[in-house]
Amino acid sequence: LEVNAMVIPLSNGREICGLYPRGCLLEHNCMPNSFYTFDCSKGMKLTFKTGRDIPKGEHLTTTYTHALWGTQLRREHLKTNKYFACKCARCSDPTELGTFLSALRCMGLENEPCGGFQLPVSPLHETSDWQCNRCPAQITHDQVNLLMSKIGEEVDDVMGRKCSVKEFEDLIYKLQNFLHPNHFHLQTLKHSLIQMYGHFPGHRLHELSDEILHKKIQMCREMMSIIDVLDPDSFRLTLYAGVILLEQQAGLVELNKRRSRSADSPQKSDLSEALQCVFSLI
């Protein structure tokens, strides 16, 4: 049951599991071509929808894991809960389709950072060593696991408590010394921080410095560039992306308000970008 069941989110925030004999036949892919919805008003009716035109002969696929997890975490989850090892194009690519969602900063030889990033030599092998893409430095699978375990605990701790903006900023600053800017742990923290910038007391939009406002907008742009790769058909990460687009639009509008009140003229490009954010939500 655990292997084939689908998790059904309820309106009260709880979850139940449902077994759909035909629905569970769809194969997994970390870049699926379909998604599913449940209609609780119709006896938990399961409906699959495609996000794009599917050529004849292409398999219908869905995903059994989280799109914003790194490869190692996704594959561990699938092997533990679904008893298979994913070998899709994304899992097979050390860079995860160029997103570097799992990449680590290289400490270089003799602790002299080279500016490169550590990537798994063989991402489909669970015990693969990691190799820098710029220098000869390598690290072992065990070293990566230890680092990820410690970082994961720190991220979970901050996400699980009512932390201040500064605590989020400090942890992001700290982890950027070890992780690629696109690393999934940093994306988790940044997704929360862009919402704190503009909504937390003392950090309302009109209270943000120009520097922080620009930082908020830039983080939104960078996160959307990753989503454009991982969800090119815009059907799996719509809620996650919607939050980013709303925050990006709010930041751009505030920026142009400030420009209109000063000697600077509002930038048409920023206003167009703000409108595009809104249109993307429709």
Side-chain angles (χ1 to χ4, degrees), residues 15-28:
E15 295 179 340
I16 60 175
C17 289
L19 187 61
Y20 297 82
R22 283 186 292 179
C24 69
L25 294 177
L26 265 73
E27 64 187 63
H28 162 83

Side-chain angles (χ1 to χ4, degrees), residues 147-162:
L147 179 63
M148 287 297 95
S149 177
K150 291 182 177 180
I151 289 177
E153 289 176 0
E154 290 191 70
V155 172
D156 289 343
D157 176 61
V158 168
M159 294 298 295
R161 294 187 291 112
K162 292 184 178 180

